[in-house]
Each structure stands twice: as structure tokens, then as C-alpha cells.
Amino acid sequence: MPLSDTAIKNAKPRADKPYKLPDEKGLYLLVTVNGGKWWRFDYRFGGKRKTLSMGTYPDTSLKQARDKRDEAKKQIAANVDPGITRKIEKAGSTENTLAAVAKEFMEANRKRWSASHHAHIEQCFERDVFPWLGNRPLKDLSAVEVLATLRRIVDRGALETAARTKQFIGQAIRYGIATGRAERDVTADLRGALPSPNRGHFPAITEPKSLAELLRDIDAYAGNFVVRTALQLQPLIFARPANLAAAEWTEFDLDAAEWRIAADKMKMKDAHIVPLSRQAIALLRDIQPLTGSSRYVFASNQGKKGNKPHISRESIGAAIRRMGYQGQHTAHGFRTTASTLLHEQGYHSDMIERQLAHAERNRVKAAYNRAQHLPERRKMMQSWADYLDSLKPGAQVFPFRQVS
């Protein structure tokens, strides 16, 4: 039964210990042994039970305590811990910058996001936002400033990255609004201000002679060796660029010719096995002396020895653009390339879709596909790699034949 003002006024202290007078929705009055009356709100956040002070009675009335409780519940519904908000308010303005709020936003969502998604958002902020806007107080941030930062990304041709970064900044600002450190989302003023990335299918080359030219250009790529190796591997395995960039050595069994990706790194939250062709294994063994002591196969040049971060998921696509293929092909486009040509050569759609790690709505069928398609997928991936090799010499394009 909810509390009343009369019940609160008549509550007397007990000599032995404090006691609670429950109101509703987690709010209660704690009556101490010396007669003090404290408002408390119990809630759960991140799987843990927490308590928030709501003031003392009679300085804080029953109605005011309920209003504070309702505000806290709104924050919880927005995935904001009201206890953290309280600490930030006490800490002062140093915690009100875009960098501080964005980092807190990312930490609050760490358990909800996949590890790869969290790493991608963090990388976007660290690389493209914080150097220019990180120290700006959130309440003073303007749409003009955000647009100037996003245009730096557009200028390097990364339109998808610019659009995603705008989305991430907006999410961080809305988190700041929920925690009382901003009043409005200025990214809402930027609708239509950025060039629209191509929606739907990623640009992809699917004609064999054009694909042969792209493969030869990749082999001749004169940039960073780590990026070039990733470029060479992507056509062979046609993985999602984010998964390839973050590939870890512990995920590979080169003797068994397999790359096993854990479910929490996959877009569809389903563990995935990539059979490796002889050509893929050769590339991995070639780069192993350089990055084998690091966590990541495609370790970047940054960071301390043995603890280097991996290359960006954008690195492969950026290299393709630098080779002159902007608007014609992308790193993700290799998935379309493989899917198109494998289908044309008569490979079963279920097997191709499984190799692409697309979702299977029928759980029974999905389990069957995982169990039954791996041997066939091994043959398909080796045949695919052999076909790509046959394209590279240039003059003659060999027909792609299934391996029975």
C-alpha cells in the first residue's frame, strides 16, 4: 500500500535498528534510530541491485520524492544509470565534455553490444571525433562544429563512415540529454547536410575480366604490407570487413585449414567457420612472422609491441578506392562478387549463404546446414580460390568449374 503524509509524520524511530516504510515502485522511507527520515530508491541496473538517495523528509516531500523516483526510472529505461548521473553532477563540468559523455555512453552499452561493434564505435570516436570535438562541453556543441568534423571524413571518400559517425555522435548526445548534460541533439539539424552513401547493395565487380584486373591491381598494391595482405585475403574468404580486420591469431588453425569466429563477433550472433584454401593459408603464413606475436593478424603499426590494435575495418575499402575503384567496388563488395559467381556456377544457395554467414530463420535447418555443409564448403572455397588464381595472368579467363 502506498505511503501517505500522515503515515510518514507518525512514523517513530525504533531503538534497535532502522526500518523501512515502503511506498511503491522501489521508493521507500528509511527511519533511522535517531529519528531521521531518508528517502531511498532501490533499482536494478546491469544485473546489480543499487540504491539511490532521494533526500530527507520533510525537506523532500512525498510528492517530490516520487517525482525524483520517476525521473530515475526514465533514465533506467534509457539505459542510463541514475547513480552514475548523480556522481557526474557532483564531479562538475569536467565530466560534461563530448569525450567524457561518449566514453560513458560506450561503457554503459558494452554488455549489450558485440565486442566488434563496441570496438568499431570506439575507433570512430577516437579517430574521427575526439581530436576535434572531444574537449567541447556537450551543452555548447553546435551543429556547425559537428558538420565540419564529419566533412573531414567525407573528404576522404568514406561516406558510409561519415553517416555512421553522425549516428554515433547523436546517440552519445542523446545519452547526455538523458543524464542532464545536454538539452538537444544538434545532429538533428544536419539532415541532408552530408552526401548520401549508396544504399542497398555495395558496389561490386561481378564480371570476370574486370575482376581479373582488380585482382592484379591488388597484387601490385604498393601500400602497407599488412593492408595488402588483408586485401589479398578478402577475395578468397569474402568475410565481412569488420571481422577480417579484427581477426585474431587464436581463431586460426592453419593445420586444420579453419578460421573459427566466435558468436559475439558475428553480426548474426552465430559462431562461424571459414574453411581456408591453400592460397589463404599461404598468405597467413607469410604475414605470421610479422604479426604472429601480436593478438591480431592484421595488427597496425600503432600501440606497444605485442599489443598493437588491428587495422581499421575501413582500411581495405580505402585501399580499393586509392587504386581507382571508387563507386565500382568495395571491401564488402567481394561478398557480392563471390555470391554472384558461385550461384552462376551452380553451387547450392544454402551452402553459399552459410559461407556468407547470413541468418537462417529456421533453427533446425540452420543446425543441419552447419553440420552438413562444411565438407562441401571446403571444396567450394578451394575451387573458388583456384578460379581467382586462374584470372590473374590476364589474357585468358578460364571457366569456373565445380569440384565434385
Side-chain angles (χ1 to χ4, degrees):
M1 183 176 179
L3 278 175
S4 65
D5 286 315
T6 301
I8 296 170
K9 291 176 182 177
N10 293 337
K12 304 300 181 183
R14 295 175 183 170
D16 54 345
K17 60 180 180 181
Y19 67 94
K20 301 177 181 179
L21 289 176
D23 182 46
E24 56 182 357
K25 301 177 184 178
L27 181 68
Y28 61 91
L29 189 73
L30 180 68
V31 183
T32 65
V33 293
N34 61 6
K37 297 176 180 179
W38 294 80
W39 291 111
R40 294 287 188 266
F41 170 57
D42 284 349
Y43 65 101
R44 295 189 69 82
F45 193 89
K48 296 181 179 179
R49 180 185 176 279
K50 299 188 175 186
T51 300
L52 195 64
S53 175
M54 295 294 186
T56 60
Y57 181 87
D59 293 335
T60 301
S61 69
L62 175 59
K63 182 181 183 304
Q64 290 171 327
R66 286 173 174 169
D67 289 343
K68 290 182 178 181
R69 175 205 58 201
D70 292 343
E71 181 61 31
K73 288 181 73 65
K74 288 180 182 178
Q75 292 179 348
I76 295 168
N79 201 35
V80 174
D81 186 343
I84 293 179
T85 302
R86 180 76 56 83
K87 291 179 181 178
I88 290 170
E89 290 171 349
K90 291 181 179 179
S93 61
T94 57
E95 295 299 323
N96 295 338
T97 62
L98 175 60
V101 174
K103 289 175 182 178
E104 184 188 321
F105 160 69
M106 289 186 284
E107 186 61 31
N109 287 278
R110 182 184 291 274
K111 293 182 179 179
R112 191 166 63 89
W113 295 337
S114 68
S116 61
H117 184 63
H118 182 277
H120 172 54
I121 294 179
E122 185 175 47
Q123 186 179 59
C124 282
F125 274 115
E126 294 286 352
R127 179 190 61 206
D128 293 325
V129 181
F130 290 165
W132 293 276
L133 299 178
N135 292 328
R136 292 287 290 138
L138 202 60
K139 63 182 179 62
D140 297 333
L141 195 64
S142 70
V144 173
E145 290 175 296
V146 175
L147 180 59
T149 296
L150 294 173
R151 280 179 172 164
R152 292 186 180 92
I153 307 172
V154 170
D155 289 345
R156 67 173 191 253
L159 303 187
E160 287 282 353
T161 300
R164 283 196 298 267
T165 303
K166 173 177 171 286
Q167 176 187 347
F168 299 153
I169 293 173
Q171 289 173 340
I173 293 174
R174 290 191 291 277
Y175 180 91
I177 293 172
T179 55
R181 288 169 284 178
E183 294 182 357
R184 63 182 301 271
D185 177 10
V186 297
T187 64
D189 298 335
L190 300 181
R191 175 175 289 185
L194 298 176
S196 297
N198 293 326
R199 297 299 179 187
H201 296 295
F202 290 87
I205 291 172
T206 57
E207 195 277 320
K209 288 186 179 179
S210 298
L211 178 58
E213 183 178 356
L214 172 59
L215 294 173
R216 291 193 296 273
D217 286 343
I218 287 174
D219 284 346
Y221 180 71
N224 180 280
F225 174 73
V226 172
V227 174
R228 187 182 75 175
T229 304
L231 264 172
Q232 292 173 312
L233 190 60
Q234 178 65 347
L236 296 171
I237 61 176
F238 43 92
R240 291 187 175 91
N243 289 132
L244 183 61
E248 301 180 33
W249 280 112
T250 55
E251 297 168 351
F252 287 86
D253 186 336
L254 299 186
D255 293 330
E258 287 182 356
W259 176 23
R260 291 179 173 262
I261 311 174
D264 65 352
K265 295 182 72 172
M266 295 299 296
K267 180 179 179 180
M268 300 302 176
K269 306 301 181 186
D270 190 14
H272 185 50
I273 301 174
V274 180
L276 300 173
S277 63
R278 293 188 300 274
Q279 292 88 334
I281 292 173
L283 287 170
L284 290 165
R285 291 199 186 281
D286 193 36
I287 197 175
Q288 197 169 30
L290 178 64
T291 66
S293 61
S294 302
R295 174 181 176 184
Y296 297 106
V297 176
F298 302 106
S300 74
N301 292 325
Q302 303 172 359
K304 297 179 181 179
K305 186 176 181 180
N307 189 33
K308 297 178 181 178
H310 58 74
I311 61 173
S312 165
R313 63 192 284 173
E314 308 293 341
S315 297
I316 302 172
I320 292 172
R321 289 193 296 271
R322 285 195 294 272
M323 291 190 295
Y325 288 90
Q326 176 145 0
Q328 301 177 56
H329 195 79
T330 64
H332 200 283
F334 281 114
R335 293 166 63 78
T336 300
T337 301
S339 177
T340 300
L341 294 176
L342 287 168
H343 274 104
E344 286 181 0
Q345 295 301 321
Y347 279 94
H348 197 288
S349 181
D350 285 351
M351 186 159 55
I352 298 170
E353 291 298 294
R354 184 58 199 161
Q355 185 56 48
L356 290 166
H358 286 162
E360 173 55 68
R361 294 180 181 179
N362 185 314
R363 292 184 178 274
V364 175
K365 186 177 180 181
Y368 175 82
N369 285 346
R370 278 195 293 273
Q372 298 297 322
H373 281 165
L374 187 55
E376 288 81 0
R377 284 196 289 122
R378 289 187 189 281
K379 295 178 182 178
M380 181 182 74
M381 296 299 280
Q382 185 58 59
S383 181
W384 172 248
D386 292 340
Y387 170 69
L388 294 181
D389 270 354
S390 78
L391 296 180
K392 293 179 184 179
Q396 182 180 3
V397 177
F398 294 90
F400 180 26
R401 297 184 178 88
Q402 277 202 48
V403 176
S404 58

